[in-house]
Amino acid sequence: MGSYLNRKRNRFMSRFLLSHLLILFVPLVVFTVGFRETSQMMKRDTLESNLASLDRTKYVIDQSLSDINKLVDSISTDPNLQWLLTRSRPLSLAEYTGLYESTKTVQALYNLSAMAVYRYYIIYPKSGIILSPSGTYNLDSFYGYAYSVPGLTSDEWLNRCLVETAAGRFLPSAPVVVEGKEIAAVTYLRSIPVASYGEPQAMVLILIDADHLLEPLSAINTQGGNACIADAKGQIIVSTHPDPYYIVGSEDSSGYEEIKLDGTGMLHSWVVSGENGFQYSALARSDAVMLEFNRLQFTVIVVSLLCLVGGIAIAWALSYVNAKPLREIISTVRNRWDGLPESGVEDYKYLKSAVSAIVESDHSLRQQIQSSLPMARTNFVGQLLRGEIADSTEADSLIRQLELDFDGRLYNSVIVGVSGYSDYSDPETLKELNTLKALLKSVWEEFGGSHLKWYSWDINEQAVAFLTIHREESPENCARSLSADLEAFGKSMELDLDIPVFYEYGAFCDNLIDVYVSFGEAKVRAERRMILGASPEPELSDAGQWIYYYPLELEQRIVNVIKAGNRAELLKILDLIYEENFRRTQIPEDMGANLFSEIRGTIFKVFRQLNIGEYEQVYAISSMLKKIKLTKGSEERFRESRELILYLCDITTTSRETGLAHVIEDIRHYIQAHYTDSNLSLTEIASHFQFSDPNFSYFFKEHFRENFSVYLERIRIEAACASMEDPALALEEIAIQVGYNSAGSFRRAFKRVKGIIPSEYKKMYCETESAPGSRR
């Protein structure tokens, strides 16, 4: 009996100890799996972050290159510059006089050029004239005096420009000397005319600031690697590393991958521009990215092993201590009650039921999400048709989230409804209409679903709007195909199912966010069809029933566009209203009066929302309203209303520009007040003014015409120069006062800005002050 009890005691002890050890080992397993997953997640986050940064870089540089192309096009077509194409050396005195106007044109175009353009030159080889924003040069004296490329003779440089150059060519970033100053620049060469090769009549040489191209790449994680930009042929234009790696090699326009390069694991992200074929690549060494993580992992493993050894000893002690009273309790229970379940069974049952409940809850939640997805898709389609989404980026994001397939060439709106119903108050009628609309969608899918995609949105109890996506590029072919589908659909509904229907569709557009125009046209036509009956065109006797084109959705878009100050979009909408009411349909005078009443209401709505308080603006608006009221004829009244609406838009634009000027001045004052703080950074200022870092960097360069770091350094050095007037101040004290952590960093910054070290500058100042006749 004693031997039996001893075995029972040892077995219970073993189970208790096993339970404690499991508690020790499970976290180790979890840590191991977690670290592995975290490692993959860190790599993925780095790749995705680099991809996003490359995409932003692509956007910025696409804009800059587009501006550069516009600059070259302006140079190619400007008459003040074209007359030099056919002139030969030597120029006459009158022709030299004409160079004055050409020089002014070059300066004006430079002032309007992109920020990336550091300098540009127009070379006329026949006349030997070179025009630039900084002056006019002879071909013989230009190279070496105003511009030169280290390592190239004048003839080699001229051969590169005039013989090797074709219609637009980028040369990789390289040092050039411009007016005595060496900079790193990307050179863009383009012949004039574009089609000329070998001996062009003229050639445009544009120097692009390499720092402008590299600045967006600075946010990319390239530890142990590099980020670079290459042209469509794979030639590297700029790179963050002097000996760059470059890998794209994919037909996809963007993506990322983990690869092996010379036996080294690399994280590769890339983006290819659809505008110009430029390729943006970022490479980072996996081990460099994971260096800190690996150190942490090693530390955790060592600590975990130490804890495991100590935990085993503690687990054995706890098992022994806790087993004794438990053995006594279980022995007492077993002696008093027979047939009691094994200890812990009920707990496991409870755990099982709890897990089952969680799984069931998760399944229910997934079902709810899936069931709400169709409604979210329908609401999104309704927003597109009503014109409530005006941003393509926002639309693309929602399309991805809702898993929609909107890949097409043309878009338009079709409205289909059930005829013969006017009273919606009867519940039975509404129920019948809902059934008919469901049947209508099902039948339409048979006719439209074969060669085009569509998404539906219920306009009201009687009609359904379809947003249709066409793969065909020709609006005429799409219209013929869609008309045939609708005609077959109408016949099927009326002849086979005895359901009278009406249908209309709007114009085709190549931009998804412009589909509201098509919906507005289709809606007006459908309303006319419901008023006038089956006849697609009104008779003269129905003129009093004719309705004008000014849907509610279009009015709301006008209000939003005015408040945004988007004059170009506003002109497009006003032209659409004019075309629909006075060119395509010629609405009668009484409908014109109604149209003006609605437009007048829109004007007052905008006036209230803009909160215009300046007397001159209020007076001008009041005068224009009085003039409109006295104007005869609907068309003339619309033209006057159009001018007033554009005036309101201009007020918004002016207000936004004034606000922008205040922001720029506030930034200038903030830097002036905080430049002495050595921790002052672009990130801090961006956060203070509620910008993101990349956007603020771009904003600062655009409006201050230099990088933030250059601007801050210049402010600090100017303040340091003023402090040097006090001979009692040491350079170390001045460095701290103007925001530098050390005298060494201050000296380097001073040398960059002033060209000499601080001690030499202070010595020069003291000598000037001590000179006879100097003022103290």
Side-chain angles (χ1 to χ4, degrees):
M1 183 67 179
S3 176
Y4 172 77
L5 290 176
N6 189 54
R7 288 198 304 271
K8 292 283 290 182
R9 183 189 61 187
N10 291 338
R11 187 172 62 181
F12 189 82
M13 174 73 179
S14 300
R15 290 181 178 179
F16 218 116
L17 181 60
L18 179 61
S19 300
H20 282 82
L21 292 178
L22 283 176
I23 295 175
L24 289 173
F25 280 104
V26 166
L28 292 178
V29 174
V30 172
F31 271 123
T32 303
V33 175
F35 269 109
R36 185 173 63 251
E37 292 300 320
T38 303
S39 172
Q40 296 301 319
M41 182 182 68
M42 289 184 65
K43 293 178 182 179
R44 184 169 60 252
D45 288 348
T46 299
L47 289 166
E48 292 177 350
S49 174
N50 287 353
L51 182 63
S53 298
L54 288 175
D55 196 57
R56 290 192 295 270
T57 301
K58 177 185 74 67
Y59 173 79
V60 172
I61 294 178
D62 279 355
Q63 291 292 109
S64 298
L65 296 184
S66 175
D67 292 343
I68 289 172
N69 285 329
K70 291 178 183 177
L71 171 63
V72 177
D73 292 339
S74 300
I75 292 171
S76 303
T77 57
D78 194 288
N80 288 334
L81 302 176
Q82 283 187 325
W83 70 275
L84 279 167
L85 294 174
T86 57
R87 297 301 188 273
S88 301
R89 283 189 265 189
L91 296 179
S92 66
L93 180 60
E95 289 173 330
Y96 271 110
T97 304
L99 286 176
Y100 177 70
E101 292 298 326
S102 301
T103 303
K104 288 200 302 181
T105 299
V106 170
Q107 292 173 343
L109 291 176
Y110 178 73
N111 293 333
L112 298 174
S113 64
M115 291 188 302
V117 177
Y118 181 81
R119 192 79 81 242
Y120 73 88
Y121 305 96
I122 311 173
I123 303 171
Y124 299 91
K126 291 184 179 180
S127 62
I129 296 297
I130 297 179
L131 298 179
S132 79
S134 59
T136 304
Y137 305 92
N138 289 320
L139 187 61
D140 298 331
S141 62
F142 169 73
Y143 191 81
Y145 174 72
Y147 168 85
S148 63
V149 179
L152 286 182
T153 65
S154 175
D155 291 339
E156 290 172 340
W157 168 78
L158 193 60
N159 180 71
R160 171 186 288 187
C161 295
L162 301 181
V163 178
E164 299 178 5
T165 304
R169 176 188 176 193
F170 285 93
L171 301 180
S173 173
V176 297
V177 180
V178 180
E179 299 169 7
K181 181 179 179 181
E182 182 173 302
I183 64 167
V186 174
T187 303
Y188 177 67
L189 301 170
R190 179 167 165 181
S191 303
I192 301 179
V194 176
S196 59
Y197 297 89
E199 295 183 0
Q201 295 180 358
M203 190 273 295
V204 178
L205 184 150
I206 297 177
L207 299 179
I208 303 171
D209 188 355
D211 288 340
H212 178 81
L213 301 182
L214 286 172
E215 183 178 353
L217 299 177
S218 62
I220 299 176
N221 184 356
T222 57
Q223 299 182 56
N226 67 277
C228 63
I229 305 172
D231 61 17
K233 296 180 180 179
Q235 175 185 240
I236 295 179
I237 303 300
V238 292
S239 173
T240 59
H241 193 278
D243 187 17
Y245 297 103
Y246 165 66
I247 298 174
V248 173
S250 174
E251 296 180 357
D252 296 333
S253 60
S254 64
Y256 56 79
E257 60 185 349
E258 186 173 1
I259 60 174
K260 287 283 187 181
L261 191 62
D262 296 334
T264 303
M266 306 292 284
L267 304 178
H268 178 218
S269 303
W270 75 89
V271 173
V272 180
S273 172
E275 298 289 334
N276 45 51
F278 268 39
Q279 303 175 32
Y280 303 80
S281 174
L283 280 163
R285 287 184 54 158
S286 299
D287 54 359
V289 171
M290 303 300 295
L291 180 61
E292 293 299 325
F293 175 81
N294 291 335
R295 290 176 180 171
L296 175 63
Q297 187 180 30
F298 176 76
T299 303
V300 171
I301 290 174
V302 172
V303 172
S304 298
L305 290 175
L306 293 176
C307 290
L308 179 62
V309 173
I312 291 174
I314 294 172
W316 187 89
L318 289 175
S319 299
Y320 179 81
V321 171
N322 294 328
K324 184 176 181 179
L326 284 176
R327 284 197 303 268
E328 293 175 354
I329 293 172
I330 292 176
S331 176
T332 302
V333 171
R334 287 185 181 277
N335 291 331
R336 292 194 178 187
W337 289 283
D338 295 330
L340 192 70
E342 291 291 332
S343 177
V345 170
E346 295 300 325
D347 290 340
Y348 285 119
K349 286 185 177 180
Y350 175 79
L351 180 61
K352 180 180 179 181
S353 62
V355 171
S356 299
I358 293 173
V359 172
E360 183 64 28
S361 176
D362 179 70
H363 181 67
S364 175
L365 180 60
R366 290 179 181 272
Q367 286 183 330
Q368 291 178 14
I369 293 174
Q370 290 298 322
S371 63
S372 64
L373 195 58
M375 182 179 296
R377 291 172 176 169
T378 301
N379 290 337
F380 173 65
V381 171
Q383 288 179 303
L384 283 174
L385 294 177
R386 293 193 300 269
E388 296 176 2
I389 298 178
D391 187 359
S392 298
T393 303
E394 178 187 359
D396 292 340
S397 175
L398 289 171
I399 288 170
R400 289 193 298 270
Q401 292 177 19
L402 297 175
E403 302 176 2
L404 294 169
D405 183 9
F406 275 18
D407 185 19
R409 303 293 180 85
L410 293 175
Y411 309 89
N412 82 312
S413 176
V414 178
I415 294 179
V416 182
V418 182
S419 301
Y421 290 87
S422 58
D423 181 16
Y424 304 140
S425 60
D426 181 17
E428 292 299 324
T429 301
L430 292 176
K431 184 177 180 180
E432 182 179 351
L433 279 171
N434 287 333
T435 303
L436 292 177
K437 285 196 297 181
L439 181 61
L440 181 149
K441 295 177 187 178
S442 176
V443 175
W444 170 245
E445 185 173 5
E446 298 178 6
F447 291 93
S450 59
H451 56 277
L452 55 83
K453 298 190 296 293
W454 57 270
Y455 295 91
S456 65
W457 173 59
D458 289 354
I459 303 176
N460 52 38
E461 293 83 354
Q462 188 178 0
V464 179
F466 294 98
L467 192 161
T468 55
I469 300 119
H470 306 260
R471 297 195 181 278
E472 180 72 43
E473 292 187 355
S474 168
E476 294 79 11
N477 294 342
C478 290
R480 283 194 294 269
S481 176
L482 185 58
S483 296
D485 287 336
L486 286 170
E487 184 177 355
F489 164 75
K491 289 180 179 179
S492 176
M493 292 293 292
E494 294 182 9
L495 297 179
D496 298 342
L497 302 175
D498 194 24
I499 301 174
V501 296
F502 64 89
Y503 48 83
E504 289 293 347
Y505 65 88
F508 296 85
C509 54
D510 57 5
N511 192 339
L512 180 61
I513 63 174
D514 289 336
V515 78
Y516 75 93
V517 177
S518 177
F519 174 68
E521 292 181 1
K523 185 178 179 183
V524 170
R525 292 172 184 169
E527 289 173 353
R528 291 172 181 168
R529 179 66 64 91
M530 287 187 286
I531 293 174
L532 301 176
S535 175
E537 298 295 336
E539 303 294 337
L540 292 177
S541 61
D542 297 318
Q545 297 177 314
W546 194 251
I547 61 177
Y548 52 85
Y549 176 77
Y550 194 69
L552 180 63
E553 296 84 6
L554 201 61
E555 181 199 38
Q556 185 58 48
R557 192 171 182 89
I558 289 174
V559 174
N560 294 337
V561 169
I562 292 175
K563 289 164 67 176
N566 190 342
R567 185 183 177 94
E569 178 68 14
L570 185 59
L571 282 170
K572 185 170 70 171
I573 297 173
L574 292 173
D575 289 344
L576 172 65
I577 296 172
Y578 180 79
E579 181 70 21
E580 289 292 332
N581 290 290
F582 300 106
R583 284 292 175 265
R584 186 174 294 179
T585 58
Q586 286 289 341
I587 62 173
E589 281 298 319
D590 58 342
M591 288 296 103
N594 292 338
L595 172 62
F596 170 68
S597 295
E598 288 214 41
I599 294 176
R600 180 186 176 92
T602 303
I603 292 171
F604 279 111
K605 183 185 296 185
V606 174
F607 180 81
R608 287 193 299 270
Q609 294 186 15
L610 292 182
N611 196 21
I612 299 172
E614 294 187 16
Y615 173 78
E616 293 81 1
Q617 294 175 344
V618 175
Y619 179 77
I621 293 171
S622 177
S623 300
M624 295 173 80
L625 283 171
K626 291 177 181 178
K627 182 179 179 181
I628 295 169
K629 188 174 182 180
L630 298 175
T631 301
K632 302 290 185 181
S634 300
E635 192 168 350
E636 287 301 318
R637 188 177 294 177
F638 177 79
R639 289 196 178 98
E640 296 291 343
S641 301
R642 179 179 183 273
E643 294 304 315
L644 176 52
I645 291 173
L646 291 174
Y647 177 68
L648 290 172
C649 184
D650 292 339
I651 290 176
T652 304
T653 302
T654 302
S655 176
R656 289 166 65 91
E657 291 175 350
T658 303
L660 180 62
H662 286 311
V663 171
I664 294 172
E665 193 62 25
D666 288 345
I667 293 173
R668 197 185 307 276
H669 287 160
Y670 186 88
I671 295 175
Q672 194 65 39
H674 296 85
Y675 73 87
T676 57
D677 182 2
S678 61
N679 295 320
L680 183 65
S681 64
L682 182 143
T683 300
E684 178 188 336
I685 301 177
S687 175
H688 180 80
F689 289 95
Q690 298 181 349
F691 282 86
S692 66
D693 287 4
N695 288 344
F696 182 73
S697 177
Y698 183 80
F699 176 89
F700 194 95
K701 183 68 178 290
E702 180 179 6
H703 295 286
F704 286 80
R705 307 298 295 179
E706 59 185 339
N707 293 336
F708 167 75
S709 58
V710 175
Y711 179 86
L712 178 61
E713 188 173 80
R714 181 169 54 80
I715 294 295
R716 286 173 169 171
I717 297 306
E718 292 300 329
C721 290
S723 298
M724 287 181 186
E725 297 179 7
D726 186 355
L729 288 176
L731 293 179
E732 289 75 11
E733 295 178 276
I734 295 174
I736 300 299
Q737 286 181 1
V738 298
Y740 289 96
N741 287 322
S742 66
S745 59
F746 169 64
R747 279 192 289 269
R748 289 190 294 272
F750 198 97
K751 179 72 181 294
R752 283 194 298 270
V753 176
K754 294 297 184 181
I756 57 176
I757 60 177
S759 57
E760 292 178 355
Y761 180 89
K762 191 170 185 178
K763 182 179 179 182
M764 292 170 55
Y765 175 80
C766 293
E767 290 175 351
T768 304
E769 288 294 301
S770 62
S774 64
R775 297 176 59 187
R776 290 188 177 273

